[in-house]
Amino acid sequence: QVQLVESGGGLVQAGASLRLSCLASGSTFSRYVMGWFRQAPGQDREFVAATSGSGGRTYYRDSVKGRFTISRDNAKNMLYLQMNNLKPEETAVYYCASGSELRSRWSDTFDYWGQGTQVTVSS
C-alpha cells in the first residue's frame, strides 16, 4: 500500500506560480505511475498530469500544456507539479495519485490517493 502526502498549495494571484509536492511512502516508488488530479467545488475530479515510473514520459491535459510541469525524484520518493501562470478557474483541491501501470483511462490508472492540497487563484 502506498501513502501519499501533498503539500505546497496556497492562495496566489492570477499569473503567479506554485510548486506542489507529494511525498510517497514505500521502497518501490520508481515502479509507480504518478499523477496529479484536481477537483473544483461542485465539479468532477479531472486529470492534470502524469509521469511514468522513470519520469521519462509525461502526459498533460491540454489546458495546462506549456504552463505546468510534472517531475519526480525517485531517490527521494517525491513527485512535483510546477504550475506557472495560474488562472482563477484552476482553483481546486489538487491530489497526488499513484498506480501500478498505465491503463486506457486515467481514472482507471490510479489506485492510491493523497488527501489533497488546496490551490486558490484570485483574479
Side-chain angles (χ1 to χ4, degrees):
Q1 191 165 358
V2 178
Q3 292 185 330
L4 305 169
V5 180
E6 303 96 334
S7 61
L11 171 63
V12 297
Q13 290 187 330
S17 298
L18 272 178
R19 188 174 84 151
L20 305 183
S21 300
C22 174
L23 175 63
S25 65
S27 59
T28 59
F29 179 70
S30 63
R31 299 180 185 178
Y32 288 99
V33 177
M34 297 296 297
W36 290 98
F37 286 70
R38 65 189 179 193
Q39 186 168 22
Q43 297 186 21
D44 293 335
R45 187 166 55 191
E46 63 181 19
F47 168 78
V48 176
T51 179
S52 61
S54 67
R57 289 175 291 162
T58 56
Y59 311 86
Y60 299 93
R61 71 179 298 107
D62 287 345
S63 64
V64 307
K65 288 179 181 177
R67 297 186 299 118
F68 289 15
T69 303
I70 188 170
S71 62
R72 63 193 298 164
D73 184 338
N74 286 343
K76 297 180 179 179
N77 280 20
M78 293 294 296
L79 177 73
Y80 304 101
L81 184 67
Q82 176 67 43
M83 305 184 294
N84 297 330
N85 192 20
L86 281 160
K87 303 176 181 181
E89 56 266 34
E90 294 177 316
T91 293
V93 177
Y94 283 70
Y95 296 91
C96 170
S98 69
S100 58
E101 61 179 337
L102 282 172
R103 296 187 173 95
S104 58
R105 295 194 307 176
W106 292 120
S107 59
D108 294 333
T109 293
F110 298 98
D111 305 305
Y112 299 102
W113 300 84
Q115 82 290 348
T117 185
Q118 177 70 47
V119 172
T120 302
V121 186
S122 63
S123 57

